[in-house]
Every structure is written in C-alpha cells, then in structure tokens.
Amino acid sequence: QLQLQESGPGLVEPSGTLSLTCTVSGGSISTSGYYWGWIRQPPGKGLEWIGSIHYTGDTYHKPSLKSRLTISVDTSKNQFSLRLTSVTAADTAVYYCARRGGYYVLDVWGLGTVVTVSS
Amino acid sequence: ETVLTQSPGTLSLSPGEKATLSCRASQTVSRSYIAWYQQKAGQAPRVLIYGASSRATGIPDRFSGSGSGTDFTLTISRLEPEDFAVYYCQLYGSSLITFGQGTRLEFK
C-alpha cells in the first residue's frame, strides 16, 4: 500500500527558507505516469496547489510561487522535496505531499505537516 | 488561469437529505479534468470523483458527479452523518492544478 510521509522543521523564521521532504513507501517514485506534488492549506482556509514533479525531473509550479520555489526529486531515496525561500507569515500552513495519478487527480496523500513562520 | 467558484459556501442539511454542491469554472473546461474531494477536520483530503462523474475506488454510490462546460455538480443522494465535511472541486489544466474555495456541509 502506497504511503507518503512529510518531514521537516515545524517552525521557520521570517525571510528564511522552508524545506520539506516527502518519503514514498510501498511503491517506487520512479513509476512512469505519476507526478508527485505539494499542496498547502493555511489555517482555516482552502487548498492551494504548489507544484508537481516527475521522477525525470519535469516540474510544474504555481506561477505566483515560482520565483521562490524549488521542487526536486531523489529517486535513490524514493523522496521528493520542497524548498520555499523568503517566507512570510502568509506561508504558514499545513503542507501536504500527494501523488498525482490518472485523470490528473491527487489520489494518495500524506498526513500533512504543520509549518509556522514566526520569529 | 481558470478560476473555480464553489457554491454555496456553507450548506446546512440533515442526515437523509440530498446535498447539491456546485462548482463553476471561469471558462469552458474539459470534464475529464474535474475532480471532487472530501476533507474532514484534521485529515488530508480524499478524492471522491474524477473525470467529473466517475467514482474513485471505495466511494459509496450515494456520491455522484455531473456537469460539463463551465458548470459541475457533486450530489450526495442521502446524507450520512460521516458526510458532513468540506468539499473541494479541482481542475487540471495547462499542467497546473486549481482548487475551488470549498463548500462546508454542516448539520442543520
């Protein structure tokens, strides 16, 4: 059974860099046809897609975040990562990783990890 | 960028009633790229419907999706207590993913 698990610091200082990793277990990240993505949800608000990556490195980003965002993949570790620079309080959210499967739906999700931007 | 607008923002109903949730796109989209998710408090979302009308694995048949063009609907035929949650529609287009702002389904 495929499982995804987010990990990383829960607290980031303003103007700092937010770094998260998603570890995939129960399946290979290198399976063709799937993309691996990040989604966030600010407290009390809706879902916001951040970006997706294929194991080949093909990447798509939300346009408004593109200048601050790096998504990378490490197939040897079956992981993919998110790096967001110059963070502000507006980046405080629950961050989820998920698999984008057939019909472009996010069909397997991690449990989510809370990231707070504060000094 | 296509915007998805969900209505109503909050829907107050009782178990056994029928729920109708709307998702309107700012321009015509392919129904193949419309999905619906359910999110319960403290949990990750789970996909209910993909391709506008196909139920995901394990989703009860009281959930159904319909629509085309710019207007899409999620219908829950007879509400069960576990159905009270927040529902999001989602669009895939031009390699980007967009969510609606959500509809909260609450107990009346």
Side-chain angles (χ1 to χ4, degrees):
Chain A
Q1 179 182 353
L2 190 74
Q3 292 186 318
L4 283 66
Q5 177 68 60
E6 305 88 351
S7 59
L11 182 65
V12 182
E13 291 195 350
S15 76
T17 297
L18 185 160
S19 296
L20 296 174
T21 295
C22 182
T23 300
V24 179
S25 59
S28 174
I29 202 170
S30 301
T31 303
S32 183
Y34 295 118
Y35 276 71
W36 305 88
W38 291 98
I39 302 94
R40 68 181 181 180
Q41 186 169 36
K45 297 189 177 180
L47 302 168
E48 178 185 24
W49 174 77
I50 297 171
S52 300
I53 190 166
H54 191 256
Y55 79 93
T56 58
D58 187 32
T59 308
Y60 298 99
H61 302 91
K62 184 178 176 74
S64 61
L65 295 173
K66 192 170 184 178
S67 64
R68 299 194 290 132
L69 181 64
T70 301
I71 298 176
S72 59
V73 63
D74 187 337
T75 56
S76 67
K77 295 182 179 179
N78 229 29
Q79 295 175 334
F80 62 104
S81 298
L82 165 74
R83 186 171 178 268
L84 187 66
T85 61
S86 304
V87 297
T88 69
D91 296 307
T92 293
V94 176
Y95 284 76
Y96 295 99
C97 59
R99 184 182 76 172
R100 196 199 82 189
Y103 283 87
Y104 306 99
V105 297
L106 302 163
D107 59 358
V108 183
W109 293 66
L111 296 178
T113 189
V114 177
V115 179
T116 301
V117 178
S118 175
S119 56
Chain B
E1 181 179 337
T2 304
V3 176
L4 298 179
T5 302
Q6 293 186 239
S7 61
T10 301
L11 186 56
S12 300
L13 293 170
S14 300
E17 292 191 294
K18 177 181 178 180
T20 303
L21 287 67
S22 173
C23 177
R24 176 164 290 177
S26 58
Q27 58 187 297
T28 298
V29 300
S30 169
R31 66 194 315 271
S32 295
Y33 299 148
I34 288 290
W36 289 90
Y37 297 80
Q38 176 194 66
Q39 186 180 32
K40 297 181 180 179
Q43 297 184 16
R46 68 162 177 165
V47 60
L48 300 173
I49 300 289
Y50 64 91
S53 59
S54 298
R55 273 187 301 277
T57 303
I59 301 304
D61 61 6
R62 64 180 180 274
F63 291 91
S64 63
S66 62
S68 64
T70 60
D71 293 313
F72 299 88
T73 300
L74 174 70
T75 301
I76 311 172
S77 58
R78 294 174 310 280
L79 285 167
E80 298 287 342
E82 63 266 28
D83 299 336
F84 290 86
V86 181
Y87 293 83
Y88 296 93
C89 57
Q90 176 232 298
L91 168 68
Y92 173 84
S94 302
S95 302
L96 308 179
I97 290 176
T98 304
F99 290 98
Q101 82 279 19
T103 290
R104 178 177 301 277
L105 181 54
E106 65 176 22
F107 283 101
K108 186 173 182 180

